[in-house]
Amino acid sequence: MPDLQIFKRSCKLMGNRFELSVVADSEQWANDRIDDGIAEISRIEKLLTTFSEDSETNQVNQNAGIKPMPVSRETFELVKRSIMISKVTQGAFDISYGSIDKRLWNFDQQMTALPDAETARQMVRLINYRNIILNDNDCTIFLAEKGMRIGFGGIGKGYAAERAKLIMQQQGVTSGVVNASGDLTAWGTQPNGNKWTVGIANPDASQQIFSYLSISGLAVATSGNYEKFIMIDGKKYSHTINPRTGLPVTGIKSVTIITTNAEIADAMATPVTIMGVHAGLDMINQMKDIEAIVIDDNDRLYTSKNINIK
């Protein structure tokens, strides 16, 4: 009998690098299963993208303040879950962040000064998950104010990873990993029977590994200011914007979330960054089956109560 091996493939989808890994004894079979996973991620990209005029997301955004728009039950339920996360995080997670004008924050290296606080506040006034009106019977979404926009940058790739995993499992993949630029979900074991080893990037040198985790049946997501940032007057500003102030978050270099579902892991990494070390960890400690590792700007390490870093 052929030995089990890991077969993997990388591709760019949803603006991110996805890597899909499958444990199998046949390369052809593994590649077919990876094709299934990639097809599912592509399908979700078409559903959620804001770069296509006819996507459901854009239809909702174009009719903000005008009329409710019918959407698929899938999009409706994702928005519904997003609003629940907004409530849990007191608005630190909010899919209506799309209302922030790209001219305010484009995080290219040409930015040499922060926008003034008043301009930033004006820009964020449209960010308010309470103004995303859902009608369950009609399966419609209505953005109550003109100019409002929703976007799935904070939850979409985790959702896509989770869906790709499900499709691959349904096709018989008992062990594998779907990695969406560091937001990943892993199930089963490696060919040698060991759990999967996940490296957490060093926030000061993203090519270096700060710590390793052994996981199976879990998802991990990391949000860090090493991914995208600008330097102004010698200070690093993260691409994570506080939806209340419109200004970048400072104080935390990286947040890693470990939980059972990639969508939740993806969605919870940013709110902890926005809430800050103590409030963020306090929230995580009150939740079931979810843990966090936080590194602050002074390289101090904090963890939720059930994690012991060796």
Side-chain angles (χ1 to χ4, degrees), residues 115-167:
D116 69 89
E118 189 46 46
T119 305
R121 254 197 306 277
Q122 284 300 313
M123 299 302 290
V124 295
R125 69 178 183 80
L126 289 171
I127 302 176
N128 187 349
Y129 68 91
R130 295 176 193 85
N131 284 333
I132 304 170
I133 315 298
L134 302 182
N135 183 318
D136 218 317
N137 292 333
D138 299 340
C139 201
T140 60
I141 301 173
F142 178 51
L143 305 182
E145 289 205 51
K146 263 198 141 77
M148 271 186 81
R149 289 174 60 79
I150 57 170
F152 296 96
I155 196 170
K157 64 182 185 198
Y159 173 63
E162 205 60 44
R163 283 290 315 171
K165 175 184 88 170
L166 181 66
I167 294 294

Side-chain angles (χ1 to χ4, degrees), residues 16-34:
N16 290 279
R17 181 177 176 272
F18 276 76
E19 184 177 80
L20 289 81
S21 304
V22 165
V23 174
D25 57 11
S26 156
E27 184 171 9
Q28 181 60 56
W29 186 85
N31 277 323
D32 289 347
R33 300 296 73 81
I34 290 171

Side-chain angles (χ1 to χ4, degrees), residues 10-176:
S10 295
C11 53
K12 188 157 186 199
L13 291 160
M14 301 177 79
N16 290 279
R17 181 177 176 272
F18 276 76
E19 184 177 80
L20 289 81
S21 304
V22 165
V23 174
D25 57 11
S26 156
E27 184 171 9
Q28 181 60 56
W29 186 85
N31 277 323
D32 289 347
R33 300 296 73 81
I34 290 171
D35 285 342
D36 295 335
I38 287 172
E40 178 66 359
I41 297 163
S42 300
R43 183 188 70 78
I44 290 163
E45 180 171 25
K46 288 190 183 76
L47 202 64
L48 303 182
T49 183
T50 53
F51 294 106
S52 163
E53 286 297 309
D54 55 358
S55 75
E56 292 190 345
T57 311
N58 263 350
Q59 296 294 311
V60 170
N61 289 342
Q62 284 162 8
N63 287 280
I66 301 169
K67 62 180 180 182
M69 288 303 291
V71 295
S72 62
R73 182 53 67 175
E74 182 176 12
T75 300
F76 185 89
E77 292 298 332
L78 181 60
V79 171
K80 197 173 178 179
R81 293 195 300 276
S82 297
I83 292 170
M84 279 173 58
I85 295 167
S86 294
K87 288 175 180 168
V88 168
T89 62
Q90 297 163 347
F93 175 86
D94 196 324
I95 58 168
S96 64
Y97 75 89
S99 313
I100 294 185
D101 194 310
K102 293 288 182 287
R103 288 168 306 187
L104 181 72
W105 288 112
N106 58 8
F107 285 93
D108 60 18
Q109 297 312 308
Q110 276 74 56
M111 275 193 82
T112 54
L114 293 177
D116 69 89
E118 189 46 46
T119 305
R121 254 197 306 277
Q122 284 300 313
M123 299 302 290
V124 295
R125 69 178 183 80
L126 289 171
I127 302 176
N128 187 349
Y129 68 91
R130 295 176 193 85
N131 284 333
I132 304 170
I133 315 298
L134 302 182
N135 183 318
D136 218 317
N137 292 333
D138 299 340
C139 201
T140 60
I141 301 173
F142 178 51
L143 305 182
E145 289 205 51
K146 263 198 141 77
M148 271 186 81
R149 289 174 60 79
I150 57 170
F152 296 96
I155 196 170
K157 64 182 185 198
Y159 173 63
E162 205 60 44
R163 283 290 315 171
K165 175 184 88 170
L166 181 66
I167 294 294
M168 287 157 70
Q169 285 178 324
Q170 287 171 348
Q171 298 297 327
V173 178
T174 54
S175 299

